[in-house]
Amino acid sequence: MNMSFSHDMDDEYEKFIRRMNPPRVVIDNESCKNATVIQVDSANRHGILLEVVQILTDLNLIITKAYISSDGNWFMDVFNVTDQDGNKVVDEGILDYIMKSLGPESCFTSSMRSVGVKQSMDHTAIELTGSDRPGLLSELSAVLRHLKCNVVNAEVWTHNTRAAAVMQVTDEETGTAITDPERLSRIKSLLCNVLKGSNKSSLAKTVVSSSVTHTDRRLHQMMFADRDYERTGDDVLDDRQRPNVDVVNWYDKDYSIVTIRCKDRPKLLFDTVCTLTDMDYVVFHAKIDTEGPDSYQEYYIRHLDGSPVKSEAERERVTQCLEAAIERRVSEGLKLELCTTDRVGLLSDVTRIFRENSLTVTRAEVATKGGKAVNTFYVRDASGYPVDVKTIDSIRQVIGQTILKVKGSPEDSKPVSQESSPTRFLFGGLFKSRSFVNFSLVRSYS
């Protein structure tokens, strides 16, 4: 009863502050030559910066510069943003959404308890963490298919020998969320067994619920809880590739100053602010600047208790956690983009083909839109070698696509004729002629 009373009092206090100090948003498309300038002023509280950045990045906007100040009880931010093509944001629908999401009518100033969390009867959310290994996504997908679950959306990250996934599944027959407690318990048990593999002492965790969280934030939280930031001898990033993160104390002002220099990419600001917020640090001032392919970020922070970084161990932990947050989205290897008519078991079939061709998935984004499956996979050779062109050709033959693009030399991009493929009917029309698959060899920072 006391906890409920306290919760209600907190909400009423926030509503009062909101009425007295409504957020103010100004969108300016005139003052800057090559970006849209968005200014947000509001009453300050912990986590508000993350919520604003989250709204902008969820719109797929690129934040090229930002100036942040939140000393005292007021929060003032200025963001320079562009669309994915580097142009100013002129879409009236997007501009109107920004005003409603960040302005006086918004709910972004509600308590962090409810951010990104809502009940859903459309699907069941499954969160998975465990040790990474070749073929893991294929094994998990096969189990879900066996349990008559259809994967409608999924995000899979791997980093530093650890793996995390957030999957949204539906019942194969009804197309709705799975609610039967016994069935949910079986799903959880079997998936956990897959995550553990042959090493039954391996740390693995499976959570099944009807709640929907902000996927990217949950993946950061899950990998952080799984301590993926702890370095191992098998760490694939050398010092030249690793982000440059430095943490020093400004004793005169009781701030710790965090500076980050690294390759720029979409959602970089979200990843760093998300990590600082979930580690209970408050950003008082910050400057973010992008010059060419590189990004520079500078944060003036204190812990929630008002203190700067207190020890060398804490400084090292902040450094490692920010490095890990940046690295989680950096995917080495071959990028595969698949767009086809969605059907039950599609993810299981595709990832099985990868596994049979000795490819392992390092990151994946799976989505269904209007009956279409729109999937992106990042794969590497399971033995650690570069992906061979012959392997690509083998996959193209098995999938039997009519539209297939491979970025690289002209010789590599020649399409494989379906008529000459001896295995074009192997999966009984697994992919229809309208499907599209795009393979590109990249180091992705998206």
Side-chain angles (χ1 to χ4, degrees), residues 132-134 234 236 332-334 357-362 379-388 391 441:
D132 185 31
R133 66 175 185 273
D234 299 327
V236 297
E332 299 271 1
L334 190 71
N357 283 272
S358 298
L359 299 182
T360 183
V361 177
T362 60
V379 300
R380 290 191 302 190
D381 182 273
S383 301
Y385 298 105
V387 178
D388 196 298
T391 301
L441 188 58

Side-chain angles (χ1 to χ4, degrees), residues 135-147 149 151 167 191 194 345-349 351-352 377:
L136 179 60
L137 181 57
S138 174
E139 294 177 45
L140 293 170
S141 303
V143 168
L144 289 170
R145 184 178 186 181
H146 174 72
L147 295 171
C149 300
V151 180
M167 294 182 166
L191 290 176
V194 171
L346 177 63
L347 181 62
S348 176
D349 289 332
T351 52
R352 186 180 76 247
F377 303 95

